[in-house]
Amino acid sequence: MHRLKFLAAAALVCISAAAHAHRYHAGITDMSFNARTGSTEIVHTYMLHDVEALLSNLYQRQFDLQDPEDEAILRKYLEQRFYLLAPDKTRLPLRWVGVTVDPQSVIIYQEAEGTPFDKIAAIHDEVLIDFLPGQVNTVNIAPGGVVRSLTFQRDSVRQNP
């Protein structure tokens, strides 16, 4: 009987810890300039669980991001919610490089070809913010080699770098 109570208590602790561990929803985007190519490289990292929940909610089915059709759906979503603006307020073209998935995260690669930081007037980032009210996205940029971090939340989805 004591063993059963102990196992039940241990299970409740594990469930509670798992639920508590995922109350914070965050995304990290690193933007760096590649002097060799003249392009700004963009790497987004999101929690796999959050991306799967978003896509399942939108399309009412399971997703396999290794499948090119499912990757295309993620790509469309991301391109609508993350973009860079030129000084004239037009969107700068971003080339989709690809996506990798591990048991914990989704890593998405993009590139603004031939675009140095000084051609970027604003960053718009509302990835997952439209789905998870507490989502916080951090964009790290390093113009001139000094890293700056911008924080994007529901009330601040567009910022100047």
Side-chain angles (χ1 to χ4, degrees):
M1 185 64 155
H2 289 286
R3 183 177 176 149
L4 184 60
K5 285 182 182 178
F6 174 77
L7 289 174
L12 285 173
V13 167
C14 290
I15 292 168
S16 174
H20 180 71
H22 200 70
R23 286 192 181 149
Y24 186 74
H25 302 281
I28 301 285
T29 298
D30 292 307
M31 294 175 55
S32 60
F33 180 69
N34 184 326
R36 185 179 55 77
T37 64
S39 299
T40 295
E41 297 171 346
I42 304 162
V43 180
H44 308 273
T45 305
Y46 302 102
M47 293 179 205
L48 177 61
H49 173 78
D50 292 341
V51 173
E52 287 177 334
L54 165 81
L55 295 174
S56 294
N57 185 59
L58 289 174
Y59 295 95
Q60 307 302 307
R61 68 175 181 87
Q62 293 292 90
F63 276 77
D64 175 5
L65 295 175
Q66 305 297 337
D67 180 305
E69 290 179 19
D70 288 352
E71 180 183 328
I73 291 169
L74 175 62
R75 176 182 178 175
K76 180 180 175 185
Y77 171 83
L78 186 95
E79 289 175 347
Q80 290 173 347
R81 287 160 182 85
F82 180 89
Y83 51 88
L84 306 176
L85 295 175
D88 66 359
K89 307 290 186 224
T90 60
R91 284 191 188 196
L92 293 166
L94 295 178
R95 184 173 71 85
W96 182 268
V97 177
V99 63
T100 59
V101 179
D102 66 39
Q104 304 292 320
S105 59
V106 176
I107 304 167
I108 300 163
Y109 305 91
Q110 293 180 297
E111 182 178 27
E113 295 178 305
T115 305
F117 283 125
D118 63 355
K119 301 283 187 208
I120 301 169
I123 300 169
H124 183 98
D125 185 353
E126 62 179 318
V127 177
L128 291 169
I129 291 173
D130 59 330
F131 176 64
L132 299 167
Q135 177 77 19
V136 176
N137 293 334
T138 300
V139 175
N140 298 314
I141 57 174
V146 177
V147 177
R148 284 188 50 224
S149 295
L150 304 172
T151 303
F152 295 79
Q153 299 176 30
R154 195 166 286 257
D155 62 347
S156 58
V157 297
R158 184 173 294 171
Q159 297 181 42
N160 299 330

